[in-house]
């Protein structure tokens, strides 16, 4: 392998890990929104932004589509990640083809599950 190919792999890995850590931090900010504290304005906006990444379907007004039943909302949240697997598979196939699809698919699914 050439030195350029190895450095590209490391930079891609570093970027993926950094993105995963960023999204995990944003999910943690969503937890602070549930605390009944009157945050100052810049922090309040940042904490509210973190709610988007915590899989809170109330933000997306999903109850209009799913109805008000909490069991249906819980089931939808549980099926959200497995329902994205065909999309991840298709995008992986379009990116690498069948030649290296399995390792790439496992990596992509693992990264998405780490983010969620």
């Amino acid at each position: 392998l050439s030195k350029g190919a190895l450095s590209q792999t490391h930079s891609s890995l570093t970027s993926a890990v950094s993105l995963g850590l960023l999204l995990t931090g944003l999910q943690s900010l969503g937890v602070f929104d549930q605390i009944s504290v009157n945050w100052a304005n810049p922090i309040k906006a940042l904490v509210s932004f973190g709610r988007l990444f915590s899989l809170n379907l109330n933000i997306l007004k999903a109850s209009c589509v799913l109805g008000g039943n909490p069991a249906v909302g819980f089931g939808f949240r549980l099926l959200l990640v497995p329902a994205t697997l065909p999309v991840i598979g298709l995008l992986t196939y379009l990116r690498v083809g069948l030649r290296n699809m399995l390792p790439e698919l496992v990596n992509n699914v693992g990264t998405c599950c780490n983010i969620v």
Side-chain angles (χ1 to χ4, degrees), residues 5-112:
L6 289 176
S7 65
Q8 182 181 5
T9 303
H10 290 300
S11 62
S12 298
L13 178 64
T14 303
S15 298
V17 169
S18 298
L19 180 66
L21 288 172
L22 174 70
L23 291 174
T24 302
L26 289 172
Q27 284 178 336
S28 299
L29 280 176
V31 173
F32 287 110
D33 190 44
Q34 296 177 358
I35 300 173
S36 60
V37 172
N38 293 329
W39 299 102
N41 194 16
I43 296 174
K44 184 178 182 179
L46 188 62
V47 168
S48 295
F49 179 70
R51 282 192 314 174
L52 293 173
F53 299 98
S54 63
L55 287 180
N56 186 358
L57 298 178
N58 295 332
I59 295 170
L60 302 174
K61 307 293 184 204
S63 61
C64 295
V65 176
L66 300 175
N69 190 351
V72 173
F74 180 71
F76 182 75
R77 255 185 302 193
L78 288 178
L79 293 176
L80 189 61
V81 173
T84 60
L85 291 179
V87 174
I88 295 170
L90 178 66
L91 292 174
T92 304
Y93 172 74
L94 292 175
R95 182 172 171 253
V96 297
L98 287 175
R99 186 174 48 110
N100 292 326
M101 186 167 168
L102 186 61
E104 286 288 326
L105 182 63
V106 169
N107 287 335
N108 292 338
V109 169
T111 301
C112 290

